[in-house]
């Protein structure tokens, strides 16, 4: 099976409506339609609606960065997955910034994944260890726990459609941004796929897309995209810069071209 390389730009809490619209305009100019590359933009919740009207759907899909796991009710300040159904194709769930700053625990992440699936929005589930956990040798146990809980209550076909982003927390610019060695990342990504195989079988494991979500830019992305189990990247800071983000998409395209499946 020939999966499309998935490049997701997580804009985090940056850009008001007009700045976001300008960035999208520039990305439209620079990024071409590539059959084997899927480009997804995750702007703030506020900006999803205006961008959904501006976006060229042949080039980009939209993702939400978060949502609440109940479909409707008295939950002041929250937005449900149900409300996002026509706006977002994907939703980022369990990003380390949400786990650490907003105390999202394993059960909440599991409920959000289930709510996304229930509402037909594809989860991009983020998993990954802190520097402290890595140094204590707890990476595998933590990945196991995060995956086992988040994927509970899903079917194998739900899992094969979804996306898992491996984000070593210490390699995200917010939390230190050390450059992770692709050879180390490769082992953890292989472990993640193996975990999915143990839980949901080989077919789900080979189909689920696994992204690298530590810091990357147009200069470093290639090393991660070369990892056998890596189906794409979840980009933070570099996705706010249209030169860098389109450079990342170009790098992915060149790699597909070189391997003969443009
Ligand atoms: P940076 O690329 O800014 O380090 O962020 C990575 C990330 O958190 C992607 O979701």
């Amino acid at each position: 099976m020939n999966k499309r390389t998935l490049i997701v730009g997580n804009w985090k809490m940056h850009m008001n409506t007009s700045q976001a619209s300008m960035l999208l305009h520039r990305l439209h100019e620079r990024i071409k339609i590539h059959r084997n590359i899927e480009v997804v933009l995750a702007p703030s919740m506020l900006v999803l609606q205006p961008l959904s009207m501006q976006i060229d759907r042949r080039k980009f899909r939209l993702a939400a960065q978060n949502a609440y796991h109940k479909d409707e009710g008295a939950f002041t300040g929250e937005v449900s997955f149900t409300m996002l159904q026509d706006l977002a194709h994907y939703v980022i769930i369990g990003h380390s910034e949400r786990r650490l700053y907003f105390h999202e625990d394993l059960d909440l992440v599991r409920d959000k994944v289930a709510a996304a699936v229930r509402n037909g929005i594809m989860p991009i589930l983020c998993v990954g260890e802190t520097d402290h956990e890595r140094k204590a040798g707890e990476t595998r146990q933590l990945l196991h726990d995060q995956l086992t809980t988040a994927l509970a209550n899903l079917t194998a076909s739900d899992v094969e459609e979804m996306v898992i982003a491996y984000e070593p927390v210490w390699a995200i610019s917010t939390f230190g941004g050390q450059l992770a060695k692709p050879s180390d990342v490769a082992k953890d990504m292989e472990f993640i796929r193996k975990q999915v195989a143990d839980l949901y079988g080989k077919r789900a494991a080979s189909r689920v897309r696994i992204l690298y979500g530590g810091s990357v830019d147009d200069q470093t992305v290639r090393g991660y995209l070369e990892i056998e189990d890596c189906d794409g990247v979840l980009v933070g800071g570099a996705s706010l810069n249209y030169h860098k983000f389109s450079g990342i998409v170009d790098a992915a395209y060149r790699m597909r071209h070189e391997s003969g499946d443009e």
Side-chain angles (χ1 to χ4, degrees), residues 10 12 95 97 167 171-173 213-216 234-238:
N10 177 7
K12 305 193 178 183
H95 191 281
E97 288 151 17
E167 298 203 306
I172 296 179
S173 51
S215 257
V216 295
L234 175 57
V235 187

Side-chain angles (χ1 to χ4, degrees), residues 172-226:
I172 296 179
S173 51
T174 325
F175 302 105
Q178 301 166 51
L179 207 61
K181 274 203 240 139
S183 54
D184 291 337
V185 171
K187 291 183 199 136
D188 293 318
M189 292 181 100
E190 187 186 351
F191 177 77
I192 290 171
R193 206 176 289 283
K194 169 118 190 355
Q195 289 292 297
V196 176
D198 289 349
L199 291 167
Y200 284 100
K202 284 201 175 123
R203 182 189 153 101
S206 70
R207 291 190 165 226
V208 69
R209 285 169 298 169
I210 304 181
L211 309 184
Y212 177 62
S215 257
V216 295
D217 63 18
D218 48 334
Q219 305 301 313
T220 57
V221 69
R222 203 181 162 103
Y224 299 105
L225 289 177
E226 278 168 353

Side-chain angles (χ1 to χ4, degrees), residues 146-166:
Q146 287 182 337
L147 287 165
T148 323
T149 28
L151 304 183
N153 308 331
L154 300 183
T155 65
S157 54
D158 295 333
V159 174
E160 58 184 62
E161 303 253 316
M162 66 182 278
V163 180
I164 298 173
Y166 173 52

Side-chain angles (χ1 to χ4, degrees), residues 39-240:
V39 185
V40 175
L41 306 174
S44 78
M45 196 71 95
L46 181 69
V47 164
L48 269 176
Q49 171 95 51
L51 288 204
S52 78
M53 295 194 273
Q54 185 188 340
I55 208 155
D56 180 343
R57 283 163 208 273
R58 293 167 308 165
K59 289 190 182 177
F60 305 108
R61 280 178 161 158
L62 289 174
Q65 296 174 17
N66 178 40
Y68 195 59
H69 59 289
K70 305 270 189 194
D71 288 345
E72 197 186 338
F75 301 104
T76 302
E78 293 298 322
V79 172
S80 70
F81 291 93
T82 315
M83 293 168 177
L84 291 174
Q85 274 175 356
D86 300 331
L87 293 177
H89 196 92
Y90 292 96
V91 58
I92 299 172
I93 298 177
H95 191 281
S96 53
E97 288 151 17
R98 295 217 58 88
R99 291 185 196 256
L100 294 167
Y101 297 151
F102 301 97
H103 314 294
E104 294 198 0
D105 61 14
L106 295 176
D107 291 348
L108 183 59
V109 170
R110 176 202 58 209
D111 290 348
K112 288 189 175 196
V113 168
V117 169
R118 182 169 74 237
N119 283 286
I121 303 177
M122 262 184 237
I124 301 174
L125 167 70
C126 300
V127 294
E129 79 289 359
T130 62
D131 194 33
H132 178 76
E133 287 156 346
R134 187 163 197 91
K135 286 182 178 144
E138 292 167 359
T139 302
R140 297 275 156 109
Q141 185 60 45
L142 182 104
L143 291 175
H144 168 85
D145 294 349
Q146 287 182 337
L147 287 165
T148 323
T149 28
L151 304 183
N153 308 331
L154 300 183
T155 65
S157 54
D158 295 333
V159 174
E160 58 184 62
E161 303 253 316
M162 66 182 278
V163 180
I164 298 173
Y166 173 52
E167 298 203 306
V169 178
W170 48 276
I172 296 179
S173 51
T174 325
F175 302 105
Q178 301 166 51
L179 207 61
K181 274 203 240 139
S183 54
D184 291 337
V185 171
K187 291 183 199 136
D188 293 318
M189 292 181 100
E190 187 186 351
F191 177 77
I192 290 171
R193 206 176 289 283
K194 169 118 190 355
Q195 289 292 297
V196 176
D198 289 349
L199 291 167
Y200 284 100
K202 284 201 175 123
R203 182 189 153 101
S206 70
R207 291 190 165 226
V208 69
R209 285 169 298 169
I210 304 181
L211 309 184
Y212 177 62
S215 257
V216 295
D217 63 18
D218 48 334
Q219 305 301 313
T220 57
V221 69
R222 203 181 162 103
Y224 299 105
L225 289 177
E226 278 168 353
I227 296 170
E228 189 175 334
D229 282 297
C230 182
D231 299 308
V233 282
L234 175 57
V235 187
S239 69
L240 300 169

